[in-house]
Amino acid sequence: MKELFVDIQRCAACKACEIACAVEHSTSKELFGAVSERPAPQKRVHVESARAYAYPVCCLHCGDAPCIATCPNGAMSRDADSGAVVVNEGRCLGCLMCAMVCPFGAISAHPAKRVAVKCDRCPDREKRGQQPACVDACPTHALQFGDEEDLMKEKRLSTAARVAQAVSGAAVVQQPGSTPLDTLRSLRGC
Amino acid sequence: MSREMMDRASQALQNRAEKLGIEIGLDRLESQQPQCGFGELGTCCRICYMGPCRIDPFATDGSSRGVCGATADVIVTRNLLREATGGTASHIGHARHVALTLREAIRGNAPYGIVDRGKLIAVAGGLGIATDGKSDTEIAEEVVAKALEDFARQDGEPGNWLKLHTPHKEFEMWRDLGLVVSNVHNEIEEAMHRTSGGNDADAVNLLLGTLRMGIADGVGLAMATDLQDIMFGTPQVCAVEANVGVLEAGRVNLAMHGHNPVLSEKILEWSAKLDGEARAAGADGINVVGVCCTGNELTMRHGVPMAGHNLQSELLIVTGAVDALVVDVQCIWPGDVKVAECFDTKVITTEANVKITGAMHVPFEAEHADEAAEKIVRVAIKAFVARKGKEVEIPQQKASALAGFSVEAILGVLSKIDPENPLKPVIDNIVAGNIYGAVGFAGCPNPKIRSSAMTETMAKELLANNVLVVATGCTAHILAQAGMMSPDATEQYCGEGLKAVLTALGGAAGLDGPLPPVWHMGSCVDNSRIVTLLAALADTLDVKISQLPVAGSAPELVAEKAISIGAWFLALGMTVHIAPAPHILGSPVATKVLTEDLEGITGGRAYVEYDPAKAAAGLVAHIAAKRAALGI
């Protein structure tokens, strides 16, 4: 299964991921149609703020998922093909035990239907070979999607480059604190 | 941001709103978090339909561009000029409205008159209008014609009010920089044109455009102040009270909110005329109170109580005791109407271009001002009858303050010390260091930083360093509520030098105690008064304004109007502190030019700092540098 990682340094809090998520989970699957649908399409990623930073909170599709374990009706399960943790709305009681035990706050209640709402990793897009809608929409690449090995490899290379810079004194990689967002964060005193 | 915000009165009303389940601005601010970084950095462009485009703030090599090829620098500087244009349009619209009202008044078509003949003669003299042998009406006709010419001329010659209020040295500087403004309406057109798709794409040129827009704003501010003084009187020092505690449960509370005294003056007049009706309805009379800048206008000229700044407008309604909130233009929250639905409070809009869904609308035109004002006051009395006997909660906090520090009032006090050269005592004390410098505060309360008491904390630090503070707009409400406009505050907050000067001035003014350490100089348009005073000081010393040991601050930036006022101050060569950061940080060019390079061009500089103590220290350091350069 591919992983969705967040680089909090890069999140500009524009909430493009939230909008793209709701549109992907609408009937029309396009913005202008989605905004007029009732009940309104629900987003499954929530950009929350902490100090001067913002972080898109989304289901991480845990290997040992407490939401699956705690569901009394078998509504929460792992999709055999994609490996994603998904809700079967027909079986969902709306008890929200899943939301209660989720360590991240990644599950919410549908306001009209009272069923659990959560990230399903955009199965329709996956069939077409596309990334999840939130990842595609992110203008700063704060949301990264790929095989765990690839994502970690990228981080390891970046670590190696940083160490290399430290020992060689060469300006190889960007220093933290050098982007406009960093300036804004430091002005806010965080 | 914190739920524990502001002063005790606001806190009590915030708690009451929470208890009653009423949503207020702070709740909405919380639900808006986090706010979009592209917006904050100014790098979102919605000007054309190939977009919207956003510039990746991490692509610091400039590789991220809009569809048309616009860089972050272009997008930010276009957006900034459009912000300034919104501000200037507000102020020149205000000035034009006042000019047209004066015209109809002197032609006998509107129930207003000339209250301050001295100011009329002074303004006419400044405009080069011969006054000998002419009636006031004839002079006023010519003054109005000169005013309207600034909205109409096509010959490119410098505007009348620009010449009237710009010191010689600054005028020369602007001429060399190509910043002399002729027709302020043309400036709006030019700016909207050059910032629309496919036009100006040079960041520095666009920044110069923003300075120009600031200069046009200054024309609007000065014209509004001058004509309002002529029509309604030039403020003199008067005692007032400030904060929510000025509401009275047993009276018809009529709160005026907005900016234009053409409305509020009439409401005040009719409230007095209909006092008997209010009493017949079971009230102990009518209590007109001021909110925001039209509140400041009434306070400066009539000592009307200052009920609150614009962040408190919803909270005032939450008391349940406001019978009518009567509004004209600018800074009026749609949220006020939603809160008012929970009470008997009537929100009454009056301008054709400022209606709010859910509010009552009573059209207010100068020609029929009496009829409209009479109707509005009656609506308030009726609302009081509906409200009478119901539970209200009015926090009792209020502070006493002295207001009314027009330039004329200040010079009036000073001339008691030195009738020949009234500014000499001030200059002598600046040279001696008793007045280390001066800082003018302007602008709004911003809920994002209100919890740090940004304005009050900065003012206290400055006063302790013998820096005199003057204030306009909603910062004046904040500082009045904090007790910093009372004579007692001089003893409490000022350094020894400033304390001695203010005590001497208080004696000269015939007061029992010292003058207050923070001088209320009026509404937002009255930032013109600050510039008039600085221009007089600079002229007396034969220096540029940029050489004076002074600075401006918009400590809690909210409005586009603060951007245009700030641009005027920057064009005049002043250092302008500002927080939160204007939407420029996405552009390296805008950031560098406005915070560094501009000092070598006009002498002005923008200075962003969120921490009140550091911001005050930064301004004191700036003043120290200016003093050193003057050799004092």
Side-chain angles (χ1 to χ4, degrees):
Chain A
M1 178 189 189
K2 290 192 172 175
E3 303 300 333
L4 195 156
F5 280 8
V6 177
D7 181 349
I8 193 172
Q9 290 282 353
R10 301 184 75 94
C11 180
C14 70
K15 302 173 194 166
C17 53
E18 292 187 354
I19 294 174
C21 177
V23 170
E24 177 60 22
H25 294 90
S26 68
T27 307
S28 65
K29 298 213 173 203
E30 55 92 18
L31 178 66
F32 296 147
V35 293
S36 57
E37 285 174 24
R38 295 294 176 272
Q42 298 298 304
K43 64 188 176 190
R44 292 108 207 276
V45 54
H46 300 262
V47 180
E48 302 290 356
S49 56
R51 303 172 70 83
Y53 290 85
Y55 181 88
V57 177
C58 191
C59 174
L60 298 174
H61 302 272
C62 307
D64 182 10
C67 56
I68 296 176
T70 197
C71 179
N73 215 33
M76 196 69 81
S77 66
R78 189 175 305 280
D79 184 85
D81 296 332
S82 71
V85 177
V86 292
V87 184
N88 179 339
E89 275 196 22
R91 293 194 69 89
C92 179
L93 299 173
C95 67
L96 301 180
M97 284 289 272
C98 52
M100 195 174 85
V101 298
C102 174
F104 308 107
I107 304 176
S108 48
H110 192 291
K113 297 193 276 187
R114 191 165 171 102
V115 291
V117 174
K118 69 178 290 303
C119 167
D120 58 4
R121 283 284 162 86
C122 298
D124 294 348
R125 294 176 62 89
E126 194 187 13
K127 277 179 215 143
R128 296 194 296 267
Q130 293 173 306
Q131 304 189 97
C134 56
V135 178
D136 243 14
C138 180
T140 62
H141 308 293
L143 291 170
Q144 294 157 357
F145 189 68
D147 291 321
E148 180 266 345
E149 176 55 29
D150 293 343
L151 292 170
M152 287 299 101
K153 176 81 174 174
E154 215 168 289
K155 277 202 171 187
R156 287 194 288 265
L157 287 172
S158 154
T159 303
R162 201 161 52 241
V163 176
Q165 181 195 14
V167 296
S168 68
V172 181
V173 288
Q174 209 168 357
Q175 290 297 308
S178 60
T179 72
L181 263 185
D182 289 318
T183 309
L184 195 60
R185 286 172 188 145
S186 68
L187 277 166
R188 289 185 191 136
C190 297
Chain B
M1 185 194 44
S2 158
R3 293 294 300 175
E4 288 86 40
M5 71 177 273
M6 314 200 279
D7 56 283
R8 282 167 61 202
S10 299
Q11 185 65 53
L13 290 171
Q14 213 176 289
N15 296 347
R16 175 171 159 88
E18 198 172 341
K19 196 176 73 188
L20 297 175
I22 298 170
E23 181 193 86
I24 57 170
L26 272 191
D27 301 308
R28 296 188 294 269
L29 176 62
E30 206 168 285
S31 68
Q32 283 292 333
Q33 298 305 311
Q35 289 171 313
C36 177
F38 294 98
E40 289 210 68
L41 296 171
T43 47
C44 172
C45 182
R46 295 171 52 249
I47 283 170
C48 88
Y49 283 80
M50 296 190 292
C53 295
R54 292 171 301 192
I55 302 304
D56 184 350
F58 299 97
T60 48
D61 59 352
S63 63
S64 178
R65 291 179 166 224
V67 175
C68 70
T71 58
D73 291 323
V74 170
I75 291 173
V76 164
T77 51
R78 277 198 305 220
N79 288 344
L80 182 69
L81 177 49
R82 286 202 162 191
E83 282 186 14
T85 304
T88 299
S90 305
H91 288 140
I92 69 170
H94 177 154
R96 189 171 58 88
H97 183 259
V98 175
L100 292 174
T101 303
L102 178 56
R103 184 182 70 181
E104 294 316 307
I106 54 182
R107 292 179 182 179
N109 301 326
Y112 298 91
I114 295 163
V115 170
D116 188 344
R117 185 171 185 276
K119 183 92 180 202
L120 174 68
I121 302 300
V123 169
L127 291 166
I129 297 168
T131 54
D132 284 353
K134 288 180 190 161
S135 71
D136 290 357
T137 307
E138 286 168 333
I139 297 167
E141 272 284 358
E142 290 189 47
V143 167
V144 168
K146 288 276 188 192
L148 296 179
E149 198 172 61
D150 279 355
F151 298 91
R153 69 189 317 149
Q154 300 296 332
D155 58 7
E157 288 300 309
N160 299 321
W161 251 262
L162 182 93
K163 285 189 290 186
L164 179 61
H165 282 277
T166 309
H168 177 69
K169 290 180 197 295
E170 280 70 23
F171 187 89
E172 295 295 313
M173 172 175 75
W174 292 349
R175 202 178 51 194
D176 293 346
L177 291 169
L179 297 178
V180 169
V181 167
S182 174
N183 168 338
V184 286
H185 269 178
N186 282 1
E187 295 300 320
I188 305 287
E189 177 212 280
E190 277 274 332
M192 293 308 286
H193 180 181
R194 74 195 286 184
T195 56
S196 69
N199 287 294
D200 203 347
D202 182 274
V204 174
N205 201 38
L206 283 157
L207 288 170
L208 284 168
T210 296
L211 291 184
R212 243 187 113 86
M213 192 50 65
I215 292 166
D217 191 72
V219 168
L221 301 179
M223 188 188 292
T225 298
D226 286 344
L227 301 183
Q228 287 170 180
D229 282 356
I230 290 169
M231 265 206 294
F232 306 122
T234 302
Q236 294 298 323
V237 177
C238 58
V240 299
E241 289 185 316
N243 212 337
V244 185
V246 301
L247 295 175
E248 295 179 45
R251 297 175 76 190
V252 177
N253 289 306
L254 203 162
M256 296 302 310
H257 180 11
H259 286 77
N260 194 332
V262 169
L263 170 71
S264 54
E265 287 274 341
K266 269 292 163 200
I267 299 289
L268 187 64
E269 182 186 326
W270 276 93
S271 295
K273 284 181 180 165
L274 297 178
D275 191 69
E277 274 188 36
R279 289 179 190 277
D284 303 327
I286 301 174
N287 183 31
V288 177
V289 299
V291 183
C292 200
C293 271
T294 206
N296 284 323
E297 299 282 358
L298 291 178
T299 295
M300 292 285 285
R301 296 196 179 86
H302 305 285
V304 164
M306 303 165 71
H309 47 68
N310 90 47
L311 185 52
Q312 290 168 317
S313 62
E314 289 181 323
L315 297 177
L316 284 160
I317 302 172
V318 167
T319 62
V322 174
D323 298 304
L325 182 75
V326 184
V327 306
D328 49 68
V329 293
Q330 304 168 20
C331 300
I332 299 142
W333 288 17
D336 291 344
V337 174
K338 195 80 190 148
V339 177
E341 283 173 5
C342 305
F343 302 96
D344 296 303
T345 310
K346 297 285 177 217
V347 177
I348 304 169
T349 55
T350 55
E351 287 292 324
N353 58 354
V354 184
K355 294 187 179 181
I356 304 173
T357 306
M360 174 188 276
H361 187 76
V362 178
F364 185 90
E365 293 122 14
E367 291 83 349
H368 311 290
D370 282 319
E371 294 89 323
E374 183 177 2
K375 185 174 172 185
I376 288 167
V377 175
R378 289 218 166 95
V379 170
I381 295 172
K382 210 171 148 192
F384 169 84
V385 173
R387 188 255 297 175
K388 197 167 59 174
K390 292 186 187 163
E391 179 261 350
V392 298
E393 183 182 328
I394 304 173
Q396 287 309 299
Q397 279 82 12
K398 58 183 172 182
S400 50
L402 289 183
F405 285 82
S406 62
V407 175
E408 291 83 347
I410 293 167
L411 292 178
V413 171
L414 295 174
S415 61
K416 288 177 183 166
I417 298 171
D418 189 338
E420 294 299 309
N421 187 357
L423 286 173
K424 190 167 179 295
V426 170
I427 291 168
D428 289 348
N429 278 295
I430 291 173
V431 171
N434 294 324
I435 302 174
Y436 196 64
V439 169
F441 280 63
C444 307
N446 189 325
K448 287 181 172 183
I449 45 180
R450 191 77 286 267
S451 58
S452 71
M454 185 79 184
T455 303
E456 306 89 309
T457 310
M458 275 185 74
K460 284 174 193 170
E461 297 279 338
L462 291 169
L463 295 177
N465 284 283
N466 295 308
V467 175
L468 180 72
V469 173
V470 302
T472 60
C474 280
T475 60
H477 281 271
I478 295 172
L479 293 167
Q481 290 177 14
M484 301 181 75
M485 289 184 177
S486 79
D488 294 345
T490 300
E491 180 63 37
Q492 195 177 347
Y493 297 114
C494 292
E496 290 307 319
L498 186 58
K499 200 183 294 180
V501 175
L502 292 169
T503 304
L505 288 176
L511 298 174
D512 272 345
L515 283 187
V518 178
W519 292 357
H520 191 333
M521 289 192 72
S523 63
C524 286
V525 295
D526 290 337
N527 281 304
S528 62
R529 299 193 200 276
I530 295 178
V531 172
T532 301
L533 189 59
L534 292 179
L537 274 172
D539 190 49
T540 307
L541 291 167
D542 194 30
V543 297
K544 289 175 76 176
I545 287 176
S546 64
Q547 292 173 271
L548 295 174
V550 300
S553 173
E556 304 187 32
L557 167 67
V558 171
E560 288 177 330
K561 293 178 287 176
I563 297 292
S564 54
I565 295 168
W568 186 35
F569 281 15
L570 290 176
L572 285 164
M574 290 171 72
T575 284
V576 180
H577 162 257
I578 195 165
H583 301 146
I584 61 166
L585 295 177
S587 160
V589 169
T591 305
K592 184 164 181 297
V593 169
L594 292 174
T595 62
E596 295 172 28
D597 301 350
L598 187 62
E599 204 161 11
I601 303 170
T602 67
R605 176 172 69 95
Y607 164 49
V608 180
E609 176 56 64
Y610 286 49
D611 181 276
K614 284 185 195 160
L619 293 183
V620 171
H622 157 77
I623 288 168
K626 292 292 173 188
R627 292 183 64 91
L630 285 171
I632 57 174

